[in-house]
Amino acid sequence: MNNISIEKFIEEIPKAELHLHIEGTFEPELLFEIAKRNNKKIKYSTIADLKNAYRFNNLQEFLDIYYAGANVLIEEKDFYDLTWAYLIKIHTQNVVHTEIFFDPQTHTDRGIPFNTVIKGIYRALEDGKNKLGITYKLILSFLRHLDEASAFNTLKEALPYKKWISGVGLDSSEVGNPPSKFERVFAKAKEEGFLTVAHAGEEGPAEYIWEALDILKVTRIDHGNRCLEDDKLVQHLAKLKIPLTLCPLSNLELKVVSDLKDHPIIKMMDKGLLVTVNSDDPAYFGGYMNENYLGITKALDLSKKQITELVKNSFKASWLTSKEKEEKILQVEEYFKKN
Ligand code: ADE
Ligand code: ZN
């Protein structure tokens, strides 16, 4: 037994990330660099000014800045560089498996071809697998503030790249855009063999979580914080072991919680929910995976055992094969015993 510090324990434990928007990893330095080479104007004259704008009172205030940042991405190389920078970063944090979202409509609506976006991201993910040993799944996320026709069109554009995309998701402005709006799109996506997830219960009500489960037939809920307002829903999620991909620093920055000390992750664990820790949009919310784990560990006084359980949950909730999951979980358990 090495008895290393809790910080080191978090840094070195091999972990998985299941809720990450690649556009949300766009660090200001890279954003300025890519804007310059593409001759794209940005509203802020310095990196410091841009960082200063990262103060949000709600999801929409964040999304406005997030979409504006993504506007400077034009070439395949831009999408490659964005994804590669993320992979290099998580490699330093011992993330060994990642399941990432990309938002094609954010780019195709600006005239960037679907294939430019996906090829850049895919090439970087493959390099990450081959050079850094990071396994991955790619999830196409529909923007829920746009209409059904736009989502259908995006799904159609994705079909030639089916082999590269494991599943579809649903993100963007939640309130007023319930999962049921995309019932037919998700049915078609399932028919085509995609796995499904959806953001629900971040700002929207528990009812949206029910809709995501019953109407979209998702296998995982992104966020899901507001399930706690509905005891029957909590029991249902626990019984069926439907994972929730929680994002503590995101919740703090978007005022879903006012303090990390109020974060419900442990309460949820105690209720038998399969909860996981993720970074959502790390360039905007002040931290990647390790900062998220460290934040809740300090705020909620988590033990190494609790951290280990959360890490194991992420592998359980991932889309790895049963055999791959078993291997990873065994590694995590051995790491816990040693440290
Ligand atoms: N897109 C990027 N991050 C998001 C979040 N936290 N919620 C909804 N849509 C998003
Ligand atoms: Zn998200």
Side-chain angles (χ1 to χ4, degrees):
M1 181 95 174
N2 293 329
N3 211 13
I4 56 175
S5 70
I6 200 99
E7 287 84 359
K8 208 164 171 55
F9 185 84
I10 288 170
E11 281 164 23
E12 295 189 349
I13 193 165
K15 55 191 88 66
E17 167 138 80
L18 305 179
H19 182 159
L20 178 283
H21 303 264
I22 198 62
E23 293 88 351
T25 69
F26 208 179
E27 291 288 349
E29 292 75 10
L30 185 61
L31 197 154
F32 267 74
E33 187 187 315
I34 291 182
K36 192 167 168 212
R37 76 184 183 213
N38 287 338
N39 281 318
K40 292 288 282 185
K41 275 220 160 53
I42 32 184
K43 206 168 134 196
Y44 305 94
S45 46
T46 65
I47 290 173
D49 284 351
L50 176 60
K51 284 186 182 170
N52 217 19
Y54 292 178
R55 289 162 213 238
F56 317 109
N57 291 304
N58 52 46
L59 175 59
Q60 193 58 52
E61 286 186 12
F62 155 68
L63 289 170
D64 292 344
I65 288 205
Y66 162 91
Y67 294 129
N71 269 338
V72 308
L73 297 162
I74 310 283
E75 310 289 341
E76 183 181 321
K77 178 176 165 40
D78 304 339
F79 292 93
Y80 179 94
D81 289 352
L82 173 71
T83 310
W84 184 245
Y86 163 68
L87 292 165
I88 294 278
K89 176 70 189 182
I90 63 166
H91 189 51
T92 69
Q93 298 208 340
N94 289 307
V95 176
V96 298
H97 177 70
T98 188
E99 302 190 355
I100 74 167
F101 295 114
F102 74 121
D103 289 345
Q105 289 151 296
T106 301
H107 315 296
T108 52
D109 269 21
R110 304 181 282 118
I112 311 298
F114 185 94
N115 71 349
T116 299
V117 179
I118 195 163
K119 281 184 182 163
I121 295 172
Y122 175 76
R123 270 202 302 117
L125 288 170
E126 280 291 297
D127 281 352
K129 187 170 75 182
N130 297 326
K131 296 179 186 166
L132 307 173
I134 300 171
T135 53
Y136 72 87
K137 305 285 175 191
L138 183 56
I139 309 171
L140 181 163
S141 198
F142 300 112
L143 299 183
R144 69 201 308 156
H145 68 273
L146 300 179
D147 61 18
E148 185 198 42
S150 174
F152 262 125
N153 194 41
T154 305
L155 182 59
K156 197 167 128 210
E157 289 197 276
L159 293 181
Y161 301 97
K162 228 168 160 178
K163 272 204 270 183
W164 296 358
I165 304 169
S166 301
V168 300
L170 187 63
D171 65 4
S172 194
S173 321
E174 188 182 6
V175 175
N177 294 298
S180 50
K181 183 174 165 185
F182 298 95
E183 176 171 11
R184 297 191 307 174
V185 180
F186 272 62
K188 174 74 178 153
K190 272 181 101 74
E191 203 182 293
E192 292 289 349
F194 293 108
L195 294 167
T196 55
V197 294
H199 283 54
E202 180 186 17
E203 281 190 346
E207 181 55 29
Y208 283 17
I209 303 176
W210 281 117
E211 282 195 11
L213 297 171
D214 294 343
I215 298 177
L216 303 188
K217 316 252 186 267
V218 301
T219 54
R220 213 159 64 193
I221 296 286
D222 295 309
H223 296 293
N225 299 50
R226 290 189 62 188
C227 73
L228 289 171
E229 295 167 21
D230 181 338
D231 288 342
K232 246 181 92 184
L233 176 57
V234 170
Q235 281 167 26
H236 182 76
L237 291 165
K239 190 165 158 223
L240 297 187
K241 295 194 168 55
I242 293 163
L244 303 181
T245 61
L246 302 178
C247 306
L249 290 178
S250 164
N251 291 162
L252 181 67
E253 293 303 314
L254 300 185
K255 312 285 189 286
V256 170
V257 296
S258 50
D259 193 299
L260 278 187
K261 285 190 166 48
D262 302 326
H263 199 278
I265 190 160
I266 295 305
K267 192 164 145 194
M268 287 171 145
M269 250 180 142
D270 292 344
K271 287 178 183 282
L273 293 169
L274 184 60
V275 291
T276 63
V277 175
N278 306 276
S279 72
D280 205 7
D281 301 283
Y284 293 91
F285 299 148
Y288 289 75
M289 287 292 278
N290 289 355
E291 290 79 15
N292 272 276
Y293 272 106
L294 196 58
I296 51 163
T297 296
K298 293 241 154 106
L300 303 170
D301 197 23
L302 299 195
S303 64
K304 289 178 180 174
K305 183 141 186 18
Q306 286 172 308
I307 295 164
T308 305
E309 280 311 306
L310 287 167
V311 169
K312 278 165 65 178
N313 281 355
S314 293
F315 287 111
K316 282 183 203 162
S318 75
W319 291 342
L320 290 166
T321 64
S322 308
K323 188 165 170 281
E324 288 166 334
K325 286 185 192 187
E326 270 169 37
E327 276 170 23
K328 298 290 185 210
I329 289 168
L330 203 66
Q331 277 172 21
V332 172
E333 283 171 348
E334 274 164 16
Y335 176 86
F336 172 70
K337 275 190 223 142
K338 248 197 319 190
N339 298 296

